[in-house]
C-alpha cells in the first residue's frame, strides 16, 4: 500500500466532524462514545485542532470546565503531528483544583497557586504516515505539577512505537486505508501520598485525515482485553440538549 506524497496527518481536522466509537471488552460488554472536532486554527505552517469528548460533567463541575478538560489539542504540520500532552496535563490539574475550589467542603483549594513545570521535556512528535518496520524513539516526558504545599510528578516514556503493517480495514463507519502501530508506554506518577506505575500496550489502525479507526488494548502477554472501532462519522455540529 502506498500513500504517495503530502499525506494528511491521522487526525480529523474538519470542524464539526463527529466520530462515534464502539468499545467492546473481552467479556463482551459494549459502550458507545463520541468525539467532536470543535475548532481548527490555521497558523500558517501548522494547524491546531481541538477534539472534544462528548459527555456529561461530573458532579460539582460546570459544563465549561468539563469542555476544557475533555478537549485534546493536536498540532499538525505538513509531515508530522503531536498531541499537546504537557499542556493537557497541566490544564487538567488546574481545572480539577478550580472545580474542587467551588465546592463548599473544599475551601482549602480556593485561590491556590498551581504551577506546571515540564523542564526541557517536549511532546513526542509522530510522522504523518509510517511504513512497515519503521519505528520512532522519543525522549521521556517529565511533568511536575506543584499545588501549594505538595507536588505531583508524572513521567511518560514510549518504550516502543513501531509500524507493523498496513491494511485496507472495514469497520461500521466504512473502509479505510490504514497503517498499524504497536506501542508500549510506561507511565509513572509520584507524590507525597504515594506513587503508581503501569505499562500500557496498544495496537492502533490509523487512517490519514481521520485518526484511530481501530484500537486494541493488550495485556503484557499480547492478549486483547478491549477493542474500539470507528462506528460512524457525521458532519455538522450535533444539536445536543
Amino acid at each position: 500500500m502506498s500513500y504517495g506524497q503530502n499525506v494528511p496527518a491521522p487526525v480529523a481536522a474538519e470542524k464539526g466532524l463527529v466520530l462515534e466509537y464502539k468499545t467492546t471488552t473481552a467479556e463482551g460488554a459494549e459502550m458507545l462514545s463520541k468525539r467532536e472536532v470543535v475548532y481548527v486554527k490555521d497558523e500558517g505552517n501548522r494547524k491546531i485542532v481541538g477534539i472534544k469528548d462528548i459527555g456529561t460533567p461530573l458532579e460539582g463541575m460546570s459544563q465549561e470546565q468539563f469542555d476544557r478538560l475533555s478537549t485534546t489539542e493536536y498540532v499538525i504540520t505538513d509531515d508530522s503531528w503531536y498531541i499537546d500532552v504537557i499542556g493537557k496535563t497541566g490544564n487538567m490539574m488546574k481545572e480539577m483544583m478550580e472545580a474542587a475550589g467551588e465546592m463548599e467542603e473544599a475551601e482549602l483549594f480556593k485561590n491556590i497557586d498551581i504551577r506546571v513545570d515540564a523542564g526541557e521535556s517536549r511532546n513526542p512528535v509522530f510522522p504523518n504516515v509510517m511504513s512497515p518496520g519503521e519505528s520512532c524513539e522519543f525522549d521521556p516526558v517529565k511533568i511536575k505539577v506543584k499545588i501549594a504545599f505538595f507536588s505531583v510528578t508524572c513521567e511518560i516514556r514510549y518504550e516502543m512505537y513501531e509500524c507493523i503493517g498496513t491494511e485496507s480495514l472495514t469497520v461500521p463507519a466504512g473502509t479505510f486505508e490504514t497503517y498499524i502501530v504497536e506501542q508500549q508506554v510506561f507511565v509513572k506518577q509520584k507524590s507525597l501520598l504515594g506513587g503508581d506505575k503501569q505499562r500500557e500496550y496498544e495496537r492502533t489502525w490509523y487512517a490519514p485525515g481521520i485518526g484511530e479507526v481501530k484500537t486494541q488494548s493488550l495485556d503484557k502477554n499480547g492478549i486483547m482485553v478491549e477493542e474500539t472501532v470507528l462506528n460512524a462519522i457525521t458532519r455538522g455540529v450535533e444539536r445536543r440538549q
Side-chain angles (χ1 to χ4, degrees), residues 14 46-47 63 97 103 110 133 135 164 177 221 224:
E14 178 185 334
R46 66 177 192 170
K47 285 185 178 180
Q63 183 66 51
M97 291 301 100
M103 300 168 61
K110 286 189 175 181
S135 62
I164 62 169
E177 301 304 319
N221 297 315
M224 187 180 69

Side-chain angles (χ1 to χ4, degrees), residues 221-236:
N221 297 315
I223 298 174
M224 187 180 69
V225 296
E226 186 176 273
E227 180 176 85
T228 299
V229 299
L230 185 58
N231 200 52
I233 300 175
T234 57
R235 287 175 171 80

